[in-house]
Amino acid sequence: MEEKEKHKHSVILKEYGKNIQKLVDYISTVPDKAKRTEQAYTLVELMKQLNPQLKIENDQKLWDDLFIMSGFELDVDSPFPMPEKELLGKKPQVVGYPEGEVKFKHYGRNIEKLIEKAIEIENDEEQEAAIVYIGQLMRSFHSTWNRENFDDGIIIDDIKTLSKGKLHIDLEKVKENALFESSTRRDFKTNTQEASSTSNNSGGRRAGKRRNNGGNYKKRRN
């Protein structure tokens, strides 16, 4: 009995304040369940209005907080089940660290995961595109770690090491086409698209010349 009286005069969740706590205590004493439920829905909406930051919260959290403030004694027909009382104050589970040591720490574990995915690609062209993308990332990481001693061959050797020899790309091809240069834009177009693009550009230049000549002609007449 003393514990219940103490509960009525205490604010369980301080972010809602004393007035909300009093309303929760009052609703808990309403004898008719239908009225309790109706008033509980109204109170949840009031909690949103008084605390604008709670509008982005999930409605389930608001109902959970309502049950918590009632000491898990509010009997209403809510859209969500009452949370388990035992979960309060329970320590979160320890998040385990990834197992295994990262071979090249300056690249990080995500590069190793990307390489594992690239190994699974069966299409040769798609796999090479994946290697190029990974190489660009590795080059940016490597240049941050060591700006002086750098060569595309280092990246290719590291890719071979991390993939256990399952991924390979020609060094001369990488150097000749600057494939590992992340700033280099490579749009893969069909021959038809390239011809259309070239035609449009030359047409635009001719049109530009005609407009310029026309402008000069008018200027001479004036």
Side-chain angles (χ1 to χ4, degrees):
M1 189 69 179
E2 292 181 1
E3 186 177 347
K4 287 186 178 182
E5 289 296 324
K6 184 179 180 181
H7 163 71
K8 288 182 179 181
H9 297 288
S10 62
V11 180
I12 297 177
L13 298 179
K14 295 182 180 180
E15 59 265 33
Y16 294 104
K18 185 180 294 185
N19 291 330
I20 293 293
Q21 180 66 59
K22 287 182 178 180
L23 289 172
V24 175
D25 294 339
Y26 167 74
I27 293 173
S28 299
T29 62
V30 174
D32 184 67
K33 185 175 182 179
K35 288 185 177 180
R36 282 199 309 270
T37 300
E38 181 182 351
Q39 292 175 1
Y41 272 90
T42 303
L43 183 55
V44 168
E45 292 301 318
L46 181 61
M47 289 161 64
K48 291 181 182 179
Q49 294 178 16
L50 295 178
N51 300 272
Q53 71 275 12
L54 295 177
K55 290 183 179 180
I56 62 174
E57 293 285 356
N58 191 311
D59 282 352
Q60 183 171 2
K61 181 186 182 305
L62 296 172
W63 280 96
D64 287 349
D65 291 346
L66 186 63
F67 285 122
I68 291 170
M69 285 188 285
S70 72
F72 299 91
E73 295 180 357
L74 184 61
D75 181 20
V76 293
D77 294 325
S78 67
F80 305 101
M82 182 184 297
E84 297 179 14
K85 188 175 182 179
E86 292 75 18
L87 294 178
L88 286 182
K90 186 177 181 180
K91 293 183 179 180
Q93 294 181 352
V94 178
V95 179
Y97 288 96
E99 296 181 0
E101 185 178 350
V102 179
K103 195 168 188 64
F104 298 113
K105 293 184 179 179
H106 51 283
Y107 294 138
R109 187 172 297 279
N110 288 334
I111 289 293
E112 294 183 358
K113 290 182 178 179
L114 287 174
I115 287 177
E116 291 173 1
K117 292 294 182 182
I119 293 173
E120 298 174 0
I121 299 175
E122 296 181 357
N123 184 280
D124 292 341
E125 292 184 1
E126 292 180 2
Q127 187 179 75
E128 183 174 287
I131 295 172
V132 170
Y133 174 72
I134 293 170
Q136 291 174 358
L137 290 175
M138 292 172 69
R139 180 186 175 111
S140 65
F141 296 154
H142 192 284
S143 60
T144 302
W145 172 67
N146 187 351
R147 294 175 181 269
E148 298 177 358
N149 182 22
F150 178 80
D151 185 83
D152 286 331
I154 297 175
I155 300 299
I156 293 177
D157 288 341
D158 291 345
I159 290 175
K160 287 181 182 178
T161 301
L162 291 172
S163 67
K164 297 180 181 178
K166 296 179 181 179
L167 296 179
H168 174 73
I169 189 169
D170 185 66
L171 176 59
E172 294 301 321
K173 182 178 181 180
V174 170
K175 288 185 175 182
E176 182 179 350
N177 297 284
L179 295 180
F180 289 169
E181 294 282 351
S182 58
S183 60
T184 302
R185 181 178 176 82
R186 287 177 295 277
D187 293 329
F188 298 97
K189 301 178 181 178
T190 61
N191 295 332
T192 305
Q193 289 176 314
E194 290 179 351
S196 175
S197 176
T198 304
S199 175
N200 291 336
N201 290 337
S202 60
R205 287 195 294 271
R206 288 195 296 270
K209 288 180 180 180
R210 286 198 295 271
R211 285 194 294 271
N212 291 337
N213 292 337
N216 294 336
Y217 174 71
K218 289 181 180 179
K219 188 173 182 181
R220 286 197 296 273
R221 288 190 62 184
N222 291 335

